[in-house]
Structures are given as C-alpha cells and as structure tokens.
Amino acid sequence: MTAAIPTRTAPTEPASPLARISRLRRPRRPPHDDRDDRGGQGGRGGRRFRIAGADVSASISVFLIALPLSLGIALATGAPLQAGLVAAAVGGLVVGRLGGAPLQVSGPAAGLTVVTADLIQQFGWRVTCFITICAGLAQLGLAALRVARSALAVSPAIVHGMLAGIGVTIALAQLHIVLGGTPQSSAVDNVRGLPAQLANLHPGALSVSLLTIAVLLAWPRIPGRTGRIVRKIPGTLAAVAIATTLAALAGISLERVDLPSWSSHALPALPEGPVLGLLAAVLTVTLVGSVESLLSAVAVDKLAAARKKPGVHIPRARLDRELAGQGAGNVVSGALGGLPITGVAVRSAANVASGAVSRHSTMLHGLWVAIAALLLVPVLDLIPLAALAALVMVVGVQMVNLVHLRSVQRNREMLVYAVTLAAVVFTGVLEGVVIGIAVAVAVALHRLTRTRITVEVQDGIHRVRARGQLTFLAVPRLSRVLHQVPWDTDCVVELDGSFMDHAAFEALHDWQMAHIAHGRMAEFTGRAGGRIAAPATESPTCCPPWTPWRNHQCGEHSPAQLNASQRGEQTRVTPSTDAASSGAPPTHAPASGAPPTHTSSPHTSSTADPSVPGQPASDPSASDLSASDPSASGLSGTAWPGAKKTPMCHTLSAGAARSPGVRQLASGISSFQRNTAPLVRGELARLAREGQRPSQLFLTCADSRLITSMITSSGPGDLFTVRNVGNLVPLPGADGADDSVAAAIEYAVDVLRVESITVCGHSGCGAMQALLNTPAEADGDGPGAGTPLRRWLRHGLPSLERMQSSQHSWARLSGRLPADAVEQLCLTNVVQQLEHLRAHESVARRLAEGTLELHGMYFHVGEAQAYLLADGVGARDDFSGEEVFNRVAPTTLEESRA
C-alpha cells in the first residue's frame, strides 16, 4: 500500500516594509535612564531633556530627609555645619550625574562620622578637606583598575560589625548633647563621662531631645487615614520641625544652629603632619567610603528590582562607574570645604520607595539642598542643636540592625561580628576592620581543621555523625570511627558540613563499597536526614547525570558492535545508529518496538532490509537492553550516576556472566537495589498491602525513548500502562484483533475504575513510518499473511485512511502545521485510536455515565515537549471539530501544587 504525502502548506506573503521595520524596533526602556551619558540632549537626533514627575516628587522627599541629617552629621563630626550641606549638594549633583547606580543617593553618611571626627580632632578641619580630596583621587584610581567588585569579598559580618560599631560610637557621643553637655573625643571617654553628665542635666535640651525622639519613632505608626496623609512628610523633617516650633513658642534657651557667612567658609589646606599618618587617614576614608557605597548600591539594586510600581526597568548598578562617581564627588566636596561623601542607604531606600525612575531625582535633591543652603539660612538658624543630636543618635542606634544580627547569628558569624564591633568602638574604624578580618580568617581556619566525629547505635543501626568540614586532616579519625562499625550492621553517616576534599571523599566511598560488599546498607545523609547523592567519578563519561537508568557502558561499543566485531564483520557507526541518543528517527524507518506484548524496540543496522519495517540486525543479541522499561533499573534522580558498579549477582551462571547484555542488565538491577530500592521500598510495601489504585490508563508506544514516568512525573501506583508498537487500539471483533489490549482496557476500566484514558503518540514513530512506506501488496490477502509485525500494523490502517480522507480535518500542533507526513500520521493516529477506544463496550458505558475521560497526547522526542489534544476533542460522539494539540507550558512549583 502506498500513501500520498500531504503537501498542504500555508500561503506566505512578502513582509511589508512596516513589518520589517517593526521587527527591528528596540525594546522599551525607561524614559529617563542614563542610556546616553553625553548630556541632556541625548545623542543624535537632539532628544529633548525631560524630567518625570515621579523624579520631582521623589527628590523633594529625599531632600526633606537629607537636610536635617546633613546638619546633624556635621554637628556630630565637629565640622562646620555648612560642610554637611556642601557634601549633600555635591553628592546629589556630581555623584548623581556621574555615578553608576541611578537611584542611589550620596552625601554625608553616618558610616564616616567617627572617621571624620577623628581626623578633625587630629589634623584640623582644613587638612581633613585635603584628605577628602586625596581619598577621592584614590577612588578614581581604584575605579580605573576595575576592582570595585573585590570590595564585595569582605565578609558581611565584618561590614555589619563595622557599621554597628560606628553606630554605637555615634550614639554615645550624641547622648551627651541630648543631655545638654559636650561629647568627648572617644567612645570610652564618653562612657566614663556619662555619670557626671547625668548628674548635671539640662532640662531644656533634654525635653527637646525627647520630643524629637518621640515624634521620630511615633510618626510611622500613626494609624488610619490620618497616618497615611501625614506620612507623606518624612519623619526626620517632622521631628525637627515640631521640636523647633515648640522650643521657639516655649521660649526655651538652647544652643541653636549657627551658619556663618559663606564668605568665611573654610577651604582645604596643605597638611603639615606626619606622612604615614596622612596616608593611613586617606586609606581609611577610601576603604570605608568605598565599601559602604558599593554595598549600598547592591542593596538599592535589590530594592528597585523588588518594586512593583512604577513599572519601569531600572538598569543594574555599574560598580566601577559608581566608585568613580564617588571619587569625583569627594574631590569636589573636599575642594569646596565639604564632608566626605558616600552612598547613603537610608536616603537611597527613600528614593526608591518614593517612586524615582532615574538619576534625575538624585540630582534634583542636590539642587534643592544647594538652594536651601543659600536662601533658607534664617530658617535653619532656628533649629536647636539638641534636636539634631537626638536625630543623629537615633540613626546611630538603628545602625545596630537586628535583621543583620539575626543573619549573622544564623550563619554562625557572631564572633566575627562582636569582635569587629568592639574593636571599632575601642580602637577606631580602620583598626577595628583589620582586627575583624584577622578574626574571620582565624575562624575559617579553625572550622576547616576542626571536625567532630561521633557514633551511636539507634534501633540496631549505627549512626556516624561528622560535624564540620571533612579535609585530609580529619581522614585518620574518620577512618578509625568507620572501621569500628561492625560489618554485619547497617550504617548511616550524617554529614553536617559544606566542604569535603578528595581525600575524605575517597575514604568515605571506599568504606561504603566495602560495607555494601558484605551485604549491608551504608548511606550518607545531611543534617536534616535527606539522602546525599555522590558526585560523578572523575573518569570521562558520556552519560548525562539525569539518566541513571541508562545502562550502556560509557566509552565502550554497544553489544551489537561487539558481537559483530567478534564475527569479523565491519559495522559502520553513524550518528543515526542510536536513535535513542539522538532523538531522531532511524534512516530506514524501523518500527518503534516489538509486537504488542513486548516493551522493547530493536534497532536497525545498516544491513537491515528497508522493505521490511522494524527488521532487527542479523544477530538477535543486538537488541539494546537500555530500551527496556526504566523501572527495571531505578527511576530515582538521587542515584549516583558516576558511582562504581557493584559486583554482579553470584547466582548468574558463568555462561550468562560472559554475555554483554546480561552484564548490562545485572549492572542496572544492582544500581536499582543500591540507590533506588531504599527510597521506594516503603511506598512499594504499602502498595503491596493495599493493592494498586491507578488514576488513569496510559496507552503509548513501546518506543524506548518514551519514558512514561519521566514525562508525566508519576511514580509507583500512578499509571496503569499499556505499551505496544504504534500505540494502537484494535477495534473489537476486527480480523486478527489482539485481545491483550482489549483485556487491559477492560481490566483498567471495570476493575481498577480508572478515571481517564490517555493515548500518547510521539514523533518519529517507526510504526507510522512503516505504514507510509510499506507497499500494499506486501501484506498479502488473508489475515494470516505476512509477518506478525505486518499483521499488527494493519490496526493502524484506519489512521492512514483518516489522514488521506477529505472528510476529516487534519490534526495539527498549535501554532504550526506538521513537519512532514510521518508527523501528520502520528497526530492523526492519536485521534483515531481515541475513536477506537469508544467502540469498546466498557469504555462506552463509562463515558455515558460521565465517570471516564479520554485524552490525546503527543510527545515530540527531539524537543522534549508534550502536547495535549484540545479540550473536548475525542470526548464527543463525532470528531468533526478541529483537532489541535496544544503545547504544555512549564509551570512553577507553586502553580503545579495549586
């Protein structure tokens, strides 16, 4: 019989110029990002400079936060108060324009307060400005060397400890001003001076400070609609404004902000101190400012990515450019008599939360600070110093972040954190960081060399627990404990560590193989009890790690090739010889399996007769045992793909042991017993007691490339599977009908009471190729003519007739027509077999009752993609509708559980 190859194709139209141009359009980008750094006009075409309304509103919010904080930080360092405003303005205008993090806000930060205060105490203010300039130049040099990301290598425990130590130092110093006194030069002196300060309180300063703290803490917690309205004003501005207003109305005598004339503003001067001291000062400002800025930039990236509104893409921070921007900002700020600049996490978070969409918000905030510094001096002079001190003290206390503290404790870095904090408080920032790094290195070495190994017996099972990293230093103790475990007992080794070197792995692996060889169980688990899979061996392998059931020997020839070489035959190996590995159909269109009662598929060699579909090689032993159902060798993904094979079962005869096929089979079974059986034994025992209760009958082809459990993510007891060549369902009473399929259908529907039946076809089906390529006269006339395979394929003739008929629409995949006649017939065959199913009495009865569903499925082997027949098709009495197989899209874990 012959078949006409379908040639129906969709007409193609030439693409219009507009369509071609639309394909070249660039994706939408944020309207105001820094895609062009050459100025406001933005490259060729003269793009007009525009500022989004969201940037304007965000800049005002950040300005209202930055203004009091800049004055407070300047007060805390002992610098002129104008220096804080200069640094804030430069941080917004210069760093905002040149930096690599569009939404990060830079300016005077609490992280440099202690460092700057020490520099002013040691060198004076004008030399401190010169040090700021040198630190900026150093940052420019580091940016040119592109070493910005190396700053992220510092342990988070050290960074958080440094910031917490700075916060404690700030809080202790500002507490004296809150109480109405004057802070000392060091944290230790401030602690010692507290008793005397408490004995000499200033009621006015204390009352204003307490009011500022109360408003600052209560402002975010105002409930209801009133809270939503008032929270549009930043809490820092509200606290300072309320405290200033009440102090003025009450006539409290307090020290207030005193901004001198800008004409007398101090500028930098050349230093006269020791060179080493100056270099240490420059290094401290550079390192602390750079690390804080880069960590803040990374944090801002995360905040911007998590923000849902506005829906504008914000480019990720370019850290080297951000470091260069910080360096340029420090050079300008130091030259203008401002404080050192760094990225500020609090202001940056407020910028993101306010809806900023570009760097324009940061630049505008700097502009507003500059205008306020020039025009609002009379208003700023009304602010009490006690209110600013209370504001900065709260900021210092908040730098001891509880979230960071819990994270450090969870990762067992509390010692590093505590030592760094204490060292910063008692010795200084640079010295504290150095001490913290030394402690972190010592802790890492200690963990690397210290391993605690214990053994105990529970319910007859020896449990060996190894706490810590397993290196060659721990191998002697580990081996001694393992060899104390009796050979006739089961053993579980619990590993609680994140590192294992090669020596420790070899010791564990050799002991496990020796223990298993004595017939007992030996496995490795994590601290939570989950089984640990071993890594692959170092020997070259062609087996991917996700196919532990595939039992071919890597680097060796297949059994067919070995047998051919023993007979002196020459077999040419081509890429299409192993269809299972390539996913493509064989050249000579083999059938996809043996007759219907078998579940393996013989491969054809280059010497097979092309006129006889599915003819095996001349040697029957050439059948690839890897085509067997994968359940024989274990389906669990936790198997050790590279683990050494255990010895073959001793019950095999000597002759059988010499057969390559038997060796393959025994190896696969041994792998199942070792790796998968312990995991599924409990579930199989339950199924053995309760019996099978599958939810559906899955009827598919015997092709070895179709792994039903993998495709459907099913396990033992889920599917009642029937496999035959071509996933055919013979009509009841047909000539030469095979009762095994009908019996399986009746048993599944009437006895097991399955809820659905799925017929699954696949691409490159050899049975469909045979139907298309086998001449009609090859079948003979009677039902007994031809080979068993030819007689079986006659049940697929209705599918071929359906495809050739003009009364039925063609089955197709969603979005495209079938690639060729074979794929067209594979799809049509699924629809036709669903119609055959309805002819079976048991199926028709359950369908009439509404207790059974029929589904069609198609699996494209080369794409590893499943398609489902559209809802309703195959469930009706007629098949007149359009037969479309829709692509099954992947879902998330949460969606799959829903």
Side-chain angles (χ1 to χ4, degrees):
M1 54 186 166
T2 59
I5 299 179
T7 59
R8 190 185 306 177
T9 57
T12 58
E13 298 180 2
S16 63
L18 181 60
R20 289 195 297 268
I21 293 174
S22 65
R23 288 196 294 266
L24 298 177
R25 288 171 55 188
R26 295 182 178 179
R28 178 179 179 269
R29 299 188 61 174
H32 303 294
D33 66 359
D34 61 321
R35 56 188 168 212
D36 193 316
D37 294 330
R38 291 171 289 182
Q41 297 301 319
R44 62 182 84 171
R47 178 169 56 88
R48 189 175 60 175
F49 180 79
R50 294 184 300 172
I51 298 177
D55 284 333
V56 176
S57 60
S59 69
I60 295 174
S61 299
V62 177
F63 158 71
L64 295 177
I65 296 174
L67 185 64
L69 281 177
S70 300
L71 292 173
I73 290 173
L75 174 67
T77 60
L81 295 182
Q82 298 103 316
L85 300 177
V86 170
V90 172
L93 293 171
V94 177
V95 182
R97 181 63 189 92
L98 302 179
L103 300 188
Q104 174 158 268
V105 180
S106 300
L112 282 172
T113 300
V114 175
V115 176
T116 308
D118 290 341
L119 296 180
I120 296 174
Q121 187 80 16
Q122 184 177 357
F123 299 103
W125 169 242
R126 299 184 67 187
V127 175
T128 301
C129 292
F130 178 81
I131 293 173
T132 302
I133 296 175
C134 294
L137 294 175
Q139 287 178 318
L140 289 173
L142 293 175
L145 296 175
R146 307 184 69 83
V147 296
R149 289 204 171 271
S150 61
L152 304 180
V154 180
S155 170
I158 297 175
V159 176
H160 298 327
M162 177 192 73
L163 295 177
I166 292 173
V168 170
T169 304
I170 292 173
L172 290 174
Q174 298 309 299
L175 181 58
H176 284 270
I177 301 179
V178 167
L179 299 176
T182 303
Q184 304 299 318
S185 58
S186 67
V188 177
D189 293 337
N190 284 323
V191 173
R192 291 174 179 172
L194 273 180
Q197 188 63 58
L198 290 172
N200 187 22
L201 295 176
H202 189 290
L206 182 60
S207 60
V208 170
S209 299
L210 292 177
L211 177 62
T212 303
I213 296 173
V215 173
L216 192 62
L217 297 179
W219 198 256
R221 296 173 174 82
I222 299 177
R225 182 180 179 184
T226 303
R228 290 194 297 271
I229 295 175
V230 300
R231 277 195 293 272
K232 295 181 179 179
I233 303 174
T236 54
L237 179 66
V240 173
I242 293 174
T244 301
T245 302
L246 293 181
L249 293 177
I252 302 176
S253 176
L254 292 170
E255 292 188 39
R256 302 179 186 274
V257 171
D258 183 15
L259 294 175
S261 172
W262 285 102
S263 59
S264 59
H265 180 61
L267 297 178
L270 293 176
E272 297 179 355
V275 176
L276 291 180
L278 291 172
L279 291 177
V282 171
L283 179 63
T284 303
V285 175
T286 301
L287 293 182
V288 175
S290 300
V291 171
E292 186 172 359
S293 297
L294 296 176
L295 292 177
S296 176
V298 173
V300 170
D301 269 353
K302 296 179 181 178
L303 292 176
R307 185 177 63 177
K308 300 185 182 301
K309 295 183 179 179
V312 177
H313 170 71
I314 306 299
R316 293 181 62 85
R318 296 162 56 186
L319 297 184
D320 290 305
R321 176 176 171 177
E322 177 63 20
L323 187 57
Q326 295 291 334
N330 276 318
V331 170
V332 176
S333 180
L336 296 179
L339 289 170
I341 291 174
T342 182
V344 188
V346 175
R347 276 166 259 179
S348 301
N351 192 34
V352 174
S354 299
V357 295
S358 74
R359 62 178 69 250
H360 293 157
S361 63
T362 303
M363 298 172 63
L364 284 175
H365 124 271
L367 179 62
W368 307 144
V369 171
I371 293 175
L374 295 174
L375 303 181
L376 298 181
V377 173
V379 177
L380 299 178
D381 284 344
L382 297 176
I383 300 175
L385 295 182
L388 295 179
L391 176 64
V392 176
M393 187 182 72
V394 171
V395 172
V397 172
Q398 291 176 343
M399 292 177 71
V400 186
N401 195 304
L402 294 180
V403 176
H404 294 163
L405 196 62
R406 284 193 290 267
S407 175
V408 169
Q409 185 177 15
R410 184 168 58 251
N411 291 281
R412 300 186 297 175
E413 297 284 345
M414 185 57 69
L415 177 62
V416 178
Y417 177 90
V419 170
T420 305
L421 189 155
V424 169
V425 171
F426 290 103
T427 64
V429 176
L430 183 61
E431 296 85 349
V433 171
V434 172
I435 294 174
I437 292 175
V439 173
V441 171
V443 169
L445 291 175
H446 174 72
R447 290 175 177 172
L448 193 61
T449 57
R450 181 178 179 273
T451 305
R452 184 164 168 257
I453 303 173
T454 60
V455 60
E456 61 181 13
V457 180
Q458 295 180 355
D459 300 328
I461 299 177
H462 282 66
R463 297 187 177 274
V464 178
R465 292 183 171 86
R467 300 284 185 264
Q469 317 311 318
L470 287 176
T471 64
F472 65 95
L473 298 175
V475 168
R477 284 184 293 135
L478 179 64
S479 299
R480 183 168 57 252
V481 172
L482 291 177
H483 283 85
Q484 290 175 356
V485 177
W487 293 113
D488 57 349
T489 60
D490 294 336
C491 182
V492 176
V493 180
E494 181 181 307
L495 304 177
D496 180 16
S498 58
F499 176 76
M500 178 192 303
D501 68 2
H502 184 72
F505 170 75
E506 284 292 335
L508 286 171
H509 184 268
D510 293 343
W511 169 83
Q512 184 191 38
M513 291 297 100
H515 203 81
I516 292 176
H518 284 77
R520 306 305 299 182
M521 181 269 291
E523 65 179 28
F524 304 118
T525 67
R527 188 172 187 177
R531 191 166 178 266
I532 298 177
T537 58
E538 296 180 359
S539 58
T541 175
C542 60
C543 288
W546 41 264
T547 55
W549 58 81
R550 189 171 183 183
N551 298 321
H552 72 272
Q553 303 298 313
C554 295
E556 298 181 8
H557 297 289
S558 66
Q561 296 164 358
L562 289 175
N563 293 336
S565 63
Q566 292 171 0
R567 293 191 307 269
E569 299 174 1
Q570 294 183 353
T571 303
R572 183 187 177 194
V573 180
T574 64
S576 61
T577 300
D578 188 356
S581 62
S582 64
T587 305
H588 295 296
S592 50
T597 56
H598 293 182
T599 59
S600 61
S601 173
H603 295 277
T604 59
S605 70
S606 58
T607 59
D609 183 0
S611 65
V612 182
Q615 178 184 353
S618 57
D619 187 356
S621 65
S623 299
D624 186 359
L625 287 178
S626 65
S628 302
D629 194 303
S631 61
S633 58
L635 298 173
S636 171
T638 59
W640 295 15
K644 298 177 180 178
K645 305 297 182 182
T646 56
M648 193 188 313
C649 179
H650 295 292
T651 60
L652 294 175
S653 64
R658 288 193 295 269
S659 168
V662 175
R663 284 203 303 270
Q664 242 181 351
L665 178 63
S667 176
I669 296 174
S670 175
S671 177
F672 167 79
Q673 294 299 147
R674 180 178 65 251
N675 300 309
T676 308
L679 302 179
V680 299
R681 185 172 287 120
E683 178 66 11
L684 291 178
R686 184 188 66 80
L687 291 173
R689 293 191 306 270
E690 301 175 1
Q692 61 170 327
R693 297 176 183 175
S695 61
Q696 64 174 295
L697 167 62
F698 198 86
L699 197 152
T700 188
C701 185
D703 193 292
S704 63
R705 297 168 293 179
L706 261 67
I707 313 300
T708 57
S709 58
M710 176 191 292
I711 298 173
T712 60
S713 298
S714 57
D718 292 339
L719 301 180
F720 187 76
T721 306
V722 175
R723 306 188 69 157
N724 60 51
V725 175
N727 47 276
L728 302 178
V729 180
L731 285 168
D735 292 339
D738 185 276
D739 288 339
S740 66
V741 178
I745 294 174
E746 181 181 352
Y747 184 77
V749 173
D750 290 341
V751 179
L752 298 179
R753 305 292 296 180
V754 296
E755 301 173 358
S756 65
I757 302 177
T758 300
V759 176
C760 177
H762 68 96
S763 62
C765 181
M768 300 301 104
Q769 293 180 20
L771 285 173
L772 286 172
N773 298 335
T774 302
E777 57 272 12
D779 292 327
D781 298 328
T787 66
L789 180 57
R790 287 195 179 119
R791 290 195 297 271
W792 169 253
L793 289 180
R794 287 185 176 185
H795 299 299
L797 291 177
S799 300
L800 185 61
E801 295 169 357
R802 183 189 188 92
M803 186 183 75
Q804 297 171 343
S805 172
S806 60
Q807 298 179 0
H808 298 279
S809 61
W810 280 357
R812 63 180 179 86
L813 298 177
S814 178
R816 69 173 177 88
L817 293 174
D820 51 25
V822 175
E823 186 170 62
Q824 178 67 72
L825 184 55
C826 291
L827 296 171
T828 305
N829 182 58
V830 172
V831 179
Q832 183 64 36
Q833 302 313 312
L834 288 173
E835 189 171 354
H836 288 186
L837 272 173
R838 299 182 61 87
H840 287 259
E841 180 184 356
S842 57
V843 175
R845 184 177 63 256
R846 289 282 304 278
L847 286 175
E849 296 171 356
T851 58
L852 183 67
E853 297 179 353
L854 302 184
H855 302 290
M857 176 177 167
Y858 176 77
F859 185 76
H860 195 291
V861 177
E863 298 175 358
Q865 177 62 56
Y867 298 83
L868 284 178
L869 190 60
D871 292 341
V873 178
R876 300 186 296 267
D877 291 335
D878 63 333
F879 285 76
S880 58
E882 187 178 15
E883 299 150 2
V884 181
F885 287 78
N886 295 319
R887 179 178 180 271
V888 180
T891 59
T892 62
L893 180 61
E894 291 77 10
E895 293 172 339
S896 64
R897 290 177 175 176

